[in-house]
């Protein structure tokens, strides 16, 4: 068995007790696991500062000099030990609140010390509290003069004496062993073209760097490697899938598509919509299964693209389905599509969790017999019992709320897997798209339908509420309608309902009946009541709708021109953007007004500023990624791809693109990875595929 696969208890300095801790607390089972437990930061002790150069805002620094005049000052709790460290350039105060006795006894005035700590400012002068002190005259003092790694450990490890310092020793034992070796896994061509540090060197330098430049090069190499293999795997998967799965050939463009396009499409398609339809058309007639991701901002018109694609399937004698993440959204799609197709001979049905048993039975029979051409629904669509006669295309709206497994289950509905079109509701950052959906082909609708005026977004403090009400009255006088949305965040549900109720009463007070009609919608209402209230707004009978985020995806009222978002600081960026997308659907100028208190966190300020500055969902998603990190973005947590050890999708965009290009390039030249120069890589890649938790990403 190879050295790196050795169980961790056999490493010098570990033993059974520490091995238990390492396994339980950090998931370190083998030498390799320890090797991959990268330092979370390094501290540069290779430099020695002159005392005259110290400033209070410096990070940890190292000084060298003599310590004199140790004495105790203060009373009781304020009591502390103070001394002075002096070098050729000056002196600085050192302070200890604890361990005074031990320090006093061990420090000798004649000796020279290496003093390491963080300068801080106290009463206008600089001092260093609880510095680390090492004997500069000792024979082994050189061991302190390097860049030191710091490793994360848990509280439990620390109380048992297994802290970062111990991990430094253990890692050193691992790397210093003559048996330590780690093979290169990238082809030489890639290493030299991108000037990457060799692999073994990178592992040595990431833990114990010689200098800052070596550390940076090591990080760069290891990040590249991590991203490269993810991309290689995704791209390989894409090639393989195209080999394995014969796609259904949708060759014809027939009556369904043509008649709809010529006679019933209520508007001219945008250039972007046309381009995407062409891309889809090329896919579905190619004989290879389509797996395409369609990204487009709120309101960019993805639904009609989905509909036209489904009509292509129908024209070739196949069925099509459209799956949405919520009941409201499925219903909305169903209504939209039924009304668009009302004069055509297409049988469309809706299947959701609340479909009545009798209807359900009839739908299942109709699907199996092929009488139903188009099925719209929720998760209910992918249940085993739902069997199509011949499903040709599956459209999945708002992919990021569906697990990838669910996507895979759709394929199993046929002898040949249907073509799959995935539509994202909110744009996602490029790096995330490339990683989460790197095996898919991508299309983007980057153009809004003509005639839309960009929504004006403003941030207002609560104290300006009366002005807001005045503005709302002006717009209502012009015949417009207004949304007022309150946050509803689960932990504080009760509070949120109180706020909603209070807000509603406040509005009713200022917008008096019967001049103004106000309706209210929230998730706890009975469906019938909710529908009734919504309908009042949709029909224009109510001027103001006070609501929780249930309206995020639910309604389409082009006459609404103001979206007021209360406590806007409590919403995430993508949610704010989604809510804003409810207005700006008609020809009139629309407004989104973000109401907040004066007290705002830095992040909240950035979110509000971003909203005020841009209407572009892609830009917003990039900021969101930077603020929250990939793991926190909605729906991405369950994806194993994002357990990155060292790369960071928010920061390493360029590197990711390089990695993807390099992987693509490699596969272009050697699709099966069989060339001799790629032997090492293939060897590593095979093992990588066995170990990774990739089941979730197919
Ligand atoms: P989303 O991409 O957010 O799903 P929708 O498909 O719901 O957007 O479209 C938003 C609105 O824009 C709908 O009312 C739709 O009818 C309209 N729309 C879509 N495409 C066009 C177009 N090319 N010209 C004018 N209006 C369009
Ligand atoms: Mg949509």
């Amino acid at each position: 068995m190879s050295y790196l696969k050795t169980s961790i208890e056999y490493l010098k300095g570990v033993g059974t007790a520490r091995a238990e801790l390492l396994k339980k607390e950090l998931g370190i089972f083998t030498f390799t696991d320890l090797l991959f437990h990268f330092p979370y930061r390094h501290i540069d002790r290779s430099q020695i500062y002159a005392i005259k150069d110290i400033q209070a805002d410096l990070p940890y620094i190292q000084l060298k000099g003599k310590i004199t005049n140790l004495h105790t000052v203060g009373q009781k709790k304020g009591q502390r030990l103070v001394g002075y460290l002096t070098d050729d350039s000056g002196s600085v105060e050192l302070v200890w609140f604890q361990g005074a006795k031990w320090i006093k006894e061990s420090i000798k005035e004649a000796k020279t010390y290496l003093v390491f700590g963080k300068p801080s400012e106290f009463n206008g002068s600089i001092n260093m509290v609880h510095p680390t002190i090492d004997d500069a005259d000792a024979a082994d003092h050189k061991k302190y003069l390097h860049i030191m790694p710091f490793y994360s450990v848990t509280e439990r490890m620390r109380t048992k004496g297994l802290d970062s310092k111990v991990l430094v020793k253990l890692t050193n034992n691992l790397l210093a062993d003559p048996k330590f070796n780690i093979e290169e896994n990238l082809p030489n061509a890639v290493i030299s073209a991108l000037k990457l540090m060799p692999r073994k060197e990178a592992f040595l330098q990431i833990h114990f760097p010689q200098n800052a430049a070596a550390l940076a090069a090591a990080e760069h190499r290891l990040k590249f490697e991590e991203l490269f293999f993810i991309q290689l795997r995704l791209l390989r998967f894409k090639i393989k899938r195209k080999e394995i799965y014969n796609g259904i050939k949708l060759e014809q463009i027939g009556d369904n598509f043509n008649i709809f396009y010529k006679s019933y499409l209520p508007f001219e398609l945008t250039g972007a919509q046309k381009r995407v339809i062409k891309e889809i058309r090329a896919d579905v007639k190619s004989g290879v299964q389509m797996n395409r991701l369609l990204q487009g901002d709120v309101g960019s018109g993805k639904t009609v693209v989905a509909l036209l694609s489904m009509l292509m399937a129908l024209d070739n004698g196949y069925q099509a389905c459209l799956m949405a993440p919520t009941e409201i959204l499925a219903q909305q799609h169903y209504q939209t599509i039924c009304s668009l197709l009302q004069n055509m001979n297409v049988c469309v049905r809706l299947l959701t969790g609340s479909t009545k048993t009798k209807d359900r039975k009839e739908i299942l029979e109709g699907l199996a017999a092929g009488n139903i051409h188009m099925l719209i629904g929720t998760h209910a669509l992918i249940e085993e019992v739902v069997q199509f006669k011949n499903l040709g295309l599956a459209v999945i709206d708002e992919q990021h709320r569906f697990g990838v497994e669910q996507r895979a289950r759709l394929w199993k509905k046929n002898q040949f897997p249907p073509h799959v079109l995935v539509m994202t509701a909110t744009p996602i950052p490029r790096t995330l798209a490339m990683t989460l959906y790197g095996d898919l082909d991508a299309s983007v609708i980057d153009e809004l339908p003509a005639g839309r005026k960009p929504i004006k977004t403003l941030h207002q403090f609560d104290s300006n509420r009366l002005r807001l009400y005045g503005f709302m009255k002006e717009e209502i006088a012009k015949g417009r309608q207004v949304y007022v949305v309150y946050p509803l965040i689960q932990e504080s549900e009760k509070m949120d309902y109180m706020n909603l109720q209070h807000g509603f009463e406040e509005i009713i007070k200022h917008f008096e009946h019967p001049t103004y009609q106000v309706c209210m919608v929230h998730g706890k209402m009975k469906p019938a009541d909710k529908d009734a209230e919504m309908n009042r707004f949709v029909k224009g009978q109510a001027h103001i709708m006070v609501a929780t985020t249930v309206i995020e995806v639910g309604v389409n009222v082009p006459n609404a021109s103001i979206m007021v978002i209360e406590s806007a600081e409590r919403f995430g960026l993508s949610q704010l953007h989604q809510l804003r997308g409810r207005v700006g659907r008609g020809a009139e100028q629309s407004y989104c007004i973000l109401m907040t208190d004066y007290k705002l966190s830095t992040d909240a300020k950035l979110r509000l500023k971003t909203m005020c500055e841009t209407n572009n969902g892609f830009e917003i998603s990039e900021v969101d990624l930077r603020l929250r990190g990939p793991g926190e973005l909605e729906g991405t947590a369950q994806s194993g791809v994002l357990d990155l050890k060292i790369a960071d999708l928010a920061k390493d965009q360029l590197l990711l693109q390089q990695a993807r290009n390099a992987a693509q390039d490699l596969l272009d030249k050697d699709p099966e990875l069989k060339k001799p120069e790629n032997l090492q890589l293939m060897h590593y890649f095979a093992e990588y595929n066995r170990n990774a938790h990739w089941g979730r990403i197919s």
Side-chain angles (χ1 to χ4, degrees):
M1 192 168 61
S2 87
Y3 176 69
L4 283 177
K5 285 187 182 162
T6 315
S7 196
I8 195 69
E9 57 259 40
Y10 300 114
L11 181 67
K12 190 177 144 206
V14 177
T16 25
R18 281 182 169 174
E20 270 314 297
L21 266 180
L22 287 169
K23 287 176 195 172
K24 279 224 179 82
E25 300 294 305
L26 297 179
I28 294 176
F29 289 86
T30 64
F31 288 14
T32 305
D33 294 337
L34 184 63
L35 188 66
F36 275 89
H37 189 60
F38 298 131
Y40 68 93
R41 67 168 170 175
H42 289 84
I43 284 180
D44 190 351
R45 290 192 67 174
S46 64
Q47 314 271 345
I48 292 173
Y49 259 76
I51 290 177
K52 71 171 169 43
D53 294 335
I54 304 181
Q55 283 158 6
D57 54 0
L58 283 175
Y60 283 81
I61 54 167
Q62 179 158 255
L63 307 165
K64 185 178 174 181
K66 295 202 153 75
I67 298 172
T68 55
N69 196 14
L70 281 170
H71 62 286
T72 311
V73 296
Q75 299 292 321
K76 291 192 178 159
K77 275 192 177 163
Q79 196 173 56
R80 59 204 184 271
L81 179 69
V82 172
Y84 293 92
L85 175 74
T86 308
D87 67 7
D88 295 344
S89 73
S91 71
V92 62
E93 193 183 60
L94 307 179
V95 182
W96 292 266
F97 293 96
Q98 284 157 12
K101 184 161 173 279
W102 187 82
I103 301 272
K104 248 180 174 164
E105 281 166 11
S106 49
I107 285 178
K108 308 274 177 286
E109 299 218 335
K111 277 195 165 172
T112 309
Y113 291 96
L114 287 168
V115 172
F116 179 76
K118 185 168 170 12
S120 50
E121 198 171 331
F122 183 71
N123 277 350
S125 66
I126 291 178
N127 66 15
M128 208 179 241
V129 180
H130 283 253
T132 308
I133 306 230
D134 294 300
D135 185 350
D137 301 324
D140 64 348
H141 80 276
K142 277 220 163 60
K143 79 176 182 207
Y144 303 116
L145 293 176
H146 57 225
I147 301 181
M148 290 210 347
F150 279 74
Y151 295 97
S152 55
V153 292
T154 62
E155 199 47 46
R156 187 150 169 266
M157 291 170 72
R158 211 171 284 126
T159 56
K160 304 220 165 183
L162 215 178
D163 58 8
S164 173
K165 269 190 180 164
V166 176
L167 281 180
V168 171
K169 273 194 201 127
L170 297 179
T171 308
N172 188 49
N173 291 347
L174 170 75
L175 295 173
D177 193 298
K179 287 198 285 295
F180 172 71
N181 190 27
I182 190 156
E183 294 196 344
E184 187 50 70
N185 57 9
L186 295 174
N188 287 331
V190 173
I191 292 180
S192 56
L194 297 173
K195 301 197 177 60
L196 298 174
M197 185 179 259
R199 189 159 195 243
K200 183 175 173 186
E201 183 66 16
F203 277 102
L204 295 174
Q205 296 290 342
I206 191 92
H207 290 285
F208 301 109
Q210 254 158 8
N211 51 47
L215 174 59
E219 267 175 9
H220 183 82
R221 147 81 208 210
L222 294 171
K223 283 177 172 191
F224 179 87
E225 170 180 325
E226 182 168 48
L227 297 169
F228 176 85
F229 282 101
I230 292 174
Q231 291 302 322
L232 188 67
R233 154 113 200 171
L234 288 165
L235 293 168
R236 229 353 244 146
F237 186 71
K238 188 165 151 186
I239 295 178
K240 273 210 142 146
R241 189 173 50 211
K242 291 192 174 175
E243 280 166 6
I244 297 170
Y245 297 120
N246 279 321
I248 297 164
K249 268 198 182 180
L250 304 179
E251 281 171 308
Q252 311 263 345
I253 288 287
D255 283 352
N256 286 308
F257 188 100
N258 284 330
I259 294 177
F260 176 74
Y261 195 91
K262 288 196 189 107
S263 313
Y264 301 118
L265 186 62
F267 37 69
E268 170 84 8
L269 292 183
T270 62
Q273 284 171 321
K274 285 183 189 160
R275 189 188 67 238
V276 170
I277 302 262
K278 275 191 196 132
E279 286 165 352
I280 292 168
R281 166 97 180 103
D283 277 359
V284 297
K285 69 174 182 186
S286 71
V288 172
Q289 185 212 11
M290 171 174 79
N291 266 282
R292 188 167 279 281
L293 173 71
L294 174 56
Q295 284 208 72
D297 214 337
V298 216
S300 60
K302 294 183 290 290
T303 315
V304 72
V305 170
L307 176 59
L308 283 163
S309 310
M310 291 197 284
L311 292 175
M312 287 181 204
L314 268 53
D315 275 340
N316 290 272
Y318 287 91
Q319 295 161 299
C321 70
L322 169 60
M323 182 159 80
T326 64
E327 179 113 16
I328 293 183
L329 202 55
Q331 273 168 14
Q332 191 192 314
H333 278 319
Y334 178 69
Q335 281 157 11
T336 308
I337 287 174
C338 283
S339 80
L340 285 167
L341 297 180
Q342 60 185 328
N343 295 318
M344 294 185 52
N345 197 9
V346 176
C347 177
V348 187
R349 295 300 298 260
L350 176 69
L351 181 68
T352 69
S354 57
T355 304
K356 301 238 163 56
T357 318
K358 185 171 140 273
D359 294 339
R360 198 181 153 78
K361 187 162 168 282
E362 187 202 309
I363 289 173
L364 293 182
E365 284 167 10
L367 282 175
N371 307 330
I372 295 175
H373 308 121
M374 223 179 253
L375 183 66
I376 306 201
T378 53
H379 289 75
L381 291 196
I382 51 174
E383 285 165 20
E384 281 306 320
V385 290
V386 182
Q387 292 294 336
F388 292 81
K389 178 165 177 249
N390 56 359
L391 181 62
L393 170 72
V395 182
I396 309 177
D397 196 11
E398 314 218 13
Q399 157 73 13
H400 64 305
R401 299 195 196 179
F402 284 110
V404 188
E405 266 172 34
Q406 292 168 319
R407 179 151 51 109
R409 272 166 74 180
L410 270 175
W411 304 358
K412 298 191 184 124
K413 296 218 167 281
N414 266 14
Q415 188 192 352
F416 291 119
H419 297 292
V420 177
L421 179 66
V422 168
M423 308 197 291
T424 61
T426 5
I428 47 177
R430 258 172 54 77
T431 51
L432 259 188
M434 229 190 271
T435 311
L436 280 176
Y437 310 115
D439 60 323
L440 305 183
D441 295 307
S443 292
V444 179
I445 305 187
D446 48 7
E447 182 187 352
L448 292 181
R452 297 251 176 98
K453 291 203 179 73
I455 302 162
K456 286 192 179 143
T457 304
L458 303 119
H459 172 206
Q460 293 286 311
F461 293 111
D462 291 339
S463 49
N464 269 343
R465 190 164 295 280
L466 288 180
R467 253 184 74 199
L468 168 71
Y469 290 162
F471 181 56
M472 284 164 60
K473 285 182 180 169
E474 281 170 31
E475 285 288 301
I476 292 170
K478 289 189 211 158
R480 305 285 114 70
Q481 290 166 282
V482 181
Y483 294 103
V484 182
V485 177
Y486 282 82
L488 199 147
I489 294 156
Q490 249 155 22
E491 299 106 70
S492 55
E493 245 188 64
K494 244 196 187 144
M495 266 294 287
D496 289 339
Y497 275 108
M498 272 168 58
N499 288 343
L500 175 74
Q501 199 60 44
H502 180 248
F504 181 63
E505 280 157 19
E506 183 81 354
I507 296 261
I508 288 186
K509 212 167 74 194
H510 285 88
F511 293 83
E512 277 168 34
H513 199 78
T515 320
Y516 297 101
Q517 298 283 334
V518 183
C519 64
M520 177 156 76
V521 178
H522 59 77
K524 284 202 171 162
M525 291 165 79
K526 290 201 189 95
D529 295 344
K530 198 159 92 184
D531 285 351
E533 287 289 275
M534 281 226 192
N535 267 331
R536 281 179 62 208
F537 194 71
V538 172
K539 291 196 179 125
Q541 292 161 354
H543 303 103
I544 301 174
M545 167 135 102
V546 179
T548 57
T549 48
V550 289
I551 61 148
E552 196 180 333
V553 289
V555 274
N556 183 21
V557 181
N559 188 47
S561 69
I562 305 183
M563 165 64 66
V564 179
I565 305 179
E566 296 285 351
S567 305
E569 76 279 3
R570 292 177 61 196
F571 291 87
L573 261 178
S574 69
Q575 215 178 6
L576 289 173
H577 183 61
Q578 278 288 322
L579 284 170
R580 177 167 61 183
R582 295 303 105 200
V583 295
R585 299 182 154 240
E588 310 303 330
Q589 177 63 56
S590 290
Y591 302 88
C592 173
I593 298 168
L594 308 169
M595 301 299 292
T596 73
D597 196 351
Y598 281 107
K599 269 182 277 167
L600 291 172
S601 69
T602 322
D603 278 10
K605 279 184 196 150
L606 180 57
R607 287 198 297 271
L608 298 166
K609 182 167 172 277
T610 307
M611 284 296 292
C612 293
E613 283 174 359
T614 180
N615 273 311
N616 182 320
F618 286 95
E619 278 173 29
I620 288 170
S621 74
E622 296 288 346
V623 179
D624 206 18
L625 175 64
R626 259 188 287 133
L627 281 178
R628 295 203 285 171
E632 298 300 312
L633 296 189
E634 193 184 353
T636 58
Q638 82 276 21
S639 160
V641 217
L642 296 174
D643 295 337
L644 297 177
K645 280 221 152 35
I646 185 162
D648 178 340
L649 292 181
K651 293 185 188 139
D652 299 320
Q653 308 187 359
L654 272 177
L655 200 60
L656 174 60
Q657 187 63 57
Q658 272 186 2
R660 184 165 174 101
N661 293 349
Q664 183 67 60
D665 198 42
L666 182 78
L667 288 172
D668 287 346
K669 290 177 187 141
D670 186 11
E672 297 297 317
L673 298 175
K674 281 192 172 143
K675 291 193 174 167
E677 65 265 31
N678 295 328
L679 193 70
Q680 240 171 356
L681 174 141
M682 190 55 213
H683 196 76
Y684 174 85
F685 188 49
E687 169 122 1
Y688 174 85
N689 282 334
R690 271 198 297 282
N691 292 337
H693 304 286
W694 287 97
R696 289 169 288 188
I697 211 240
S698 53

